[in-house]
Amino acid sequence: MRTWREMRQFPLAVQLLLVNQFGVNTGFYLLIPYLATHLGENLGLSAAVVGVVLGVRNLSQQGLFIIGGSASDRLGARGVIIAGCALRTVGFALFALGDSLPVLLAASVLSGFAGALFNPAVRAYVSQESGERKAEAFALFNVFATAGALVGPLLGSALLLVDFRTSALTAAAIFAVLTVAQALVLPAREVAPSKGTVLGDWREVLGQRAFLAFALAMVGMFTLENQLYLLLPDGARRATGWDGAAGIVFLVGTLANLALQLRITAALKERGNRARWIAVGLGVMALGFLPPAVVAGVSDGPTALRVLPVLAGTLLLYLGVMVAQPFVMELIPRFGRPELTGTYFGIFYVVSGIAAAVGNAVVGWAMDTGERGDVAWLPWVCCAAFGLLSAAGVAWLHRLGSLPSEPRAAAPAGV
């Protein structure tokens, strides 16, 4: 109930974008987690070709965030959001209707580029429309995104009982509905003409050394969040011997997020500096990988004693995200001019995305090494080190005074 009360306090545009994010994550996770299996088992593609198709989708998104951010600033976030959702509708429909490699590559490019368009644009729009309540808006954003990330795989697994094509068409239909809803409801905002060039905007943002340092420091947050889909589900499966244990990881985290996110953000916003809470959140995320490290590789004893540390680690990881993420999203636009909000979000996701890709490669190496060398704790400790280094990086930037100042408190009514 608190979620709905908080949601109604924001403008209609923000409310729509919150629901939009639930739909985006539902549609995405309904399809993408099962795409590799479809390409390999149903279409008979080699592992190398499957890797190319998936890699093209990821590259089209991560590498082009900067395009979506600049387009949001210059053309208006509304149009870019609508275009992104429309492109993903087409891309997901192509996954359902096309079997040839050229069609699959086109679907990957379109669906990836779609995300590169609407992800920074949505965050820029929410940031601009939520005024001094950015942290609360992004806390709600996290709640809806997390709920969609849980519902999507559950719906996808049910639809796969029919076939992959039904699942992909359903995902495309979700994005089609979102496209129409945004076109009908999302208000257009006048965009002030830009005096410079796009390259000039990029140079201005990239010239902000403190911003780039902050984006690099966030490698821990993105790398550790990705372990919700790799290391933690793998740890749950090994602890229980049951493939479905991965779903418990998502369920535990989603329920915690729904119950605690808004309370945590509201409490911390009034207590202490935002940068300090970001560092604390990253530290808590890091600590979440220590309980599973203790039981990693243990195959005897009660199942509960092996799986409880994994679930405890999951809760700590989600708790750390709940502490840090809303304040990270609030902080990004304050590094520069409001006219470049989309560009800052776009470049932030490019820089931190590349850094996180390197981090994930290191975690993958640690998992393989741990398997071969009988050091099953290695990837868990590696993740903890990533998180602690990121926390130290943010704390160092805060101590140097390199991060933007705190937003001023809103004046009381009538003053």
Side-chain angles (χ1 to χ4, degrees):
M1 291 299 294
R2 178 169 182 169
T3 299
W4 299 114
R5 287 198 303 271
E6 288 286 337
M7 180 180 173
R8 288 197 297 269
Q9 295 178 21
F10 286 94
L12 180 60
V14 174
Q15 295 181 38
L16 174 63
L17 292 177
L18 294 175
V19 176
N20 176 80
Q21 192 59 31
F22 172 78
V24 164
N25 275 19
T26 298
F28 181 86
Y29 289 106
L30 186 158
L31 175 68
I32 295 300
Y34 309 105
L35 181 58
T37 301
H38 167 69
L39 297 175
E41 296 183 3
N42 298 344
L43 302 185
L45 301 179
S46 68
V49 174
V50 171
V52 168
V53 173
L54 297 179
V56 164
R57 193 212 66 78
N58 190 60
L59 181 62
S60 298
Q61 179 161 319
Q62 296 291 341
L64 297 178
F65 273 129
I66 190 171
I67 303 297
S70 291
S72 172
D73 291 333
R74 290 176 170 267
L75 305 177
R78 177 182 181 273
V80 176
I81 294 168
I82 294 170
C85 281
L87 279 180
R88 184 156 282 182
T89 301
V90 176
F92 280 5
L94 284 178
F95 276 128
L97 303 175
D99 296 339
S100 66
L101 184 58
V103 173
L104 293 172
L105 289 174
S108 292
V109 170
L110 287 175
S111 59
F113 182 49
L117 287 177
F118 64 68
N119 275 334
V122 165
R123 285 157 179 79
Y125 203 121
V126 170
S127 177
Q128 292 162 350
E129 290 290 318
S130 53
E132 295 301 322
R133 302 191 68 226
K134 290 180 176 61
E136 291 90 338
F138 282 113
L140 279 169
F141 195 84
N142 193 23
V143 169
F144 279 85
T146 302
L150 175 67
V151 171
L154 295 176
L155 182 57
S157 61
L159 290 171
L160 283 175
L161 296 176
V162 182
D163 59 19
F164 177 83
R165 183 160 296 177
T166 300
S167 181
L169 287 175
T170 301
I174 290 173
F175 278 95
V177 170
L178 294 176
T179 303
V180 173
Q182 291 154 4
L184 293 176
V185 180
L186 201 60
R189 296 287 183 262
E190 184 177 352
V191 181
S194 179
K195 297 178 181 178
T197 65
V198 172
L199 290 178
D201 292 346
W202 295 355
R203 281 195 296 268
E204 179 178 337
V205 176
L206 293 172
Q208 285 268 14
R209 294 183 179 179
F211 169 70
L212 294 180
F214 178 72
L216 288 172
M218 286 298 101
V219 62
M221 187 173 79
F222 286 93
T223 300
L224 300 193
E225 274 189 296
N226 284 340
Q227 303 319 307
L228 289 169
Y229 309 102
L230 178 61
L231 190 55
L232 283 163
D234 182 69
R237 283 191 292 266
R238 290 176 183 272
T240 62
W242 173 46
D243 288 341
I248 299 177
V249 170
F250 293 109
L251 180 61
V252 167
T254 301
L255 292 177
N257 184 276
L258 293 173
L260 299 175
Q261 176 68 85
L262 295 177
R263 291 179 172 84
I264 288 173
T265 301
L268 298 185
K269 185 179 178 180
E270 306 302 326
R271 294 174 174 85
N273 187 279
R274 309 286 210 279
R276 185 176 296 117
W277 288 124
I278 293 172
V280 168
L282 289 166
V284 173
M285 291 175 70
L287 293 178
F289 290 86
L290 296 182
V294 175
V295 297
V298 176
S299 57
D300 54 354
T303 300
L305 293 181
R306 298 197 306 271
V307 75
L308 283 177
V310 178
L311 296 181
T314 300
L315 282 173
L316 284 171
L317 178 58
Y318 269 94
L319 181 62
V321 172
M322 286 186 271
V323 170
Q325 194 173 71
F327 298 129
V328 171
M329 296 294 104
E330 180 191 41
L331 190 64
I332 291 168
R334 299 213 311 269
F335 276 96
R337 296 185 286 127
E339 297 84 0
L340 294 181
T341 296
T343 304
Y344 271 95
F345 274 112
I347 291 181
F348 174 81
Y349 277 104
V350 170
V351 173
S352 55
I354 292 172
V358 175
N360 285 331
V362 173
V363 174
W365 167 84
M367 292 177 70
D368 292 337
T369 303
E371 188 82 23
R372 292 193 302 266
D374 197 26
V375 282
W377 50 264
L378 183 61
W380 302 97
V381 173
C382 185
C383 286
F386 268 123
L388 292 175
L389 286 172
S390 287
V394 173
W396 179 66
L397 289 172
H398 173 54
R399 186 170 183 176
L400 291 178
S402 299
L403 301 180
S405 59
E406 293 288 294
R408 294 179 181 178
V415 175

